[in-house]
Amino acid sequence: MTEELRLLAVRAARHGADVCLRQLGAAVDVETKSAPGDVVTAVDHAAEEAVRAVLLEARPDDSVLGEEIAERVGSGPLQWVVDPLDGTTNFTRRIPYFGTSVAVRSLSDGTWLAGAVCAPALAVTWSAAKGLGAQLDSGTGRDRLPLELLDTTARVVGTGLSYDPGHRRRQLRQLGAMMTEYTDMRRFGAAAVDLCLVAQGSLDAFVEDDLAVHDWAAGALIAEEAGAVVTRPARPGGGVSAWWR
């Protein structure tokens, strides 16, 4: 069951990501949502529609919670959580770290069952199924996660910043204490991609608060199934962490 859900998540994420990639660099409408910097484009909406079409054709009774379109409450046992374009700012600036994230959980107990993140400008898809591990599909083939990487003394942490100025200042004040355990930091601008880079072993950790569930749903499961330690927020907007011991 979970492997079938993973395959569906991959297919849906790739459909959404294809919409994003086809529109990369095109003139599209851009709006601001909650605060300066929190932008949304017509591509976000189109990508979510593409994802939902794939999911509901295969599983018409399931619920879907997306970032841009009103929640669909179905009669089935599962809820799909969709971020159609994670890293919208990157997309508008033609920075390749953006992607479509699709995850699914049981409505009976909240267990995350499968997830996929497709980063089309990087030509990669990360995915996982509960209890079956995580993998990376790219132009060079398929690799189980984590990847085999060069052993160095570098310890790299990823993070992100809130759109709220006051919250952002608090995050920056806390950064110094966080960096005592790491030799460097990366800021890619898409939490779903960051979490998948932890799954690869490319990042030693990722820490960010003020995220919505669609930001971390798939990436957190992928990192967890790769073997990283993951904490999910106990409340909306809370912190998400993933790290290697």
Side-chain angles (χ1 to χ4, degrees), residues 5-106:
L5 294 174
R6 183 191 71 81
L7 292 173
L8 179 55
V10 167
R11 186 154 57 90
R14 285 176 171 167
H15 270 69
D18 284 346
V19 171
C20 299
L21 190 61
R22 288 198 301 270
Q23 294 298 314
L24 182 63
V28 297
D29 292 334
V30 182
E31 299 177 0
T32 297
K33 296 194 293 184
S34 63
D38 183 12
V39 297
V40 62
T41 73
V43 179
D44 296 64
H45 291 272
E48 186 164 331
E49 289 174 353
V51 170
R52 287 186 179 221
V54 172
L55 296 176
L56 295 177
E57 180 181 24
R59 298 188 58 88
D61 295 330
D62 286 350
S63 299
V64 183
L65 175 64
E67 183 178 13
E68 308 302 343
I69 300 175
E71 180 178 3
R72 179 188 190 274
V73 179
S75 60
L78 303 179
Q79 181 192 55
W80 296 86
V81 178
V82 178
D83 192 337
L85 179 46
D86 186 42
T88 303
T89 297
N90 286 348
F91 175 84
T92 63
R93 300 297 179 96
R94 300 190 72 166
I95 299 170
Y97 296 96
F98 63 85
T100 300
S101 171
V102 179
V104 60
R105 62 181 165 186
S106 166

Side-chain angles (χ1 to χ4, degrees), residues 48-214:
E48 186 164 331
E49 289 174 353
V51 170
R52 287 186 179 221
V54 172
L55 296 176
L56 295 177
E57 180 181 24
R59 298 188 58 88
D61 295 330
D62 286 350
S63 299
V64 183
L65 175 64
E67 183 178 13
E68 308 302 343
I69 300 175
E71 180 178 3
R72 179 188 190 274
V73 179
S75 60
L78 303 179
Q79 181 192 55
W80 296 86
V81 178
V82 178
D83 192 337
L85 179 46
D86 186 42
T88 303
T89 297
N90 286 348
F91 175 84
T92 63
R93 300 297 179 96
R94 300 190 72 166
I95 299 170
Y97 296 96
F98 63 85
T100 300
S101 171
V102 179
V104 60
R105 62 181 165 186
S106 166
L107 286 173
S108 63
D109 61 8
T111 299
W112 292 100
L113 301 172
V117 176
C118 180
L122 301 175
V124 297
T125 302
W126 301 273
S127 64
K130 180 70 174 177
L132 298 179
Q135 65 187 50
L136 167 67
D137 290 281
S138 66
T140 59
R142 177 172 299 168
D143 294 288
R144 297 286 291 180
L145 298 178
L147 302 177
E148 292 186 9
L149 301 173
L150 296 176
D151 187 16
T152 75
T153 57
R155 283 184 54 78
V156 184
V157 62
T159 192
L161 298 172
S162 172
Y163 295 117
D164 177 77
H167 197 140
R168 190 161 60 241
R169 285 193 292 270
R170 290 194 296 275
Q171 289 171 321
L172 290 170
R173 286 195 299 268
Q174 295 163 357
L175 183 60
M178 183 175 70
M179 288 303 301
T180 59
E181 298 183 27
Y182 299 95
T183 61
D184 208 343
M185 184 192 75
R186 297 292 183 270
R187 169 76 167 100
F188 292 110
V193 174
D194 286 317
L195 287 162
C196 291
L197 292 175
V198 174
Q200 288 188 179
S202 302
L203 290 177
D204 295 286
F206 172 74
V207 181
E208 185 175 355
D209 62 2
D210 203 21
L211 292 174
V213 63
H214 51 261

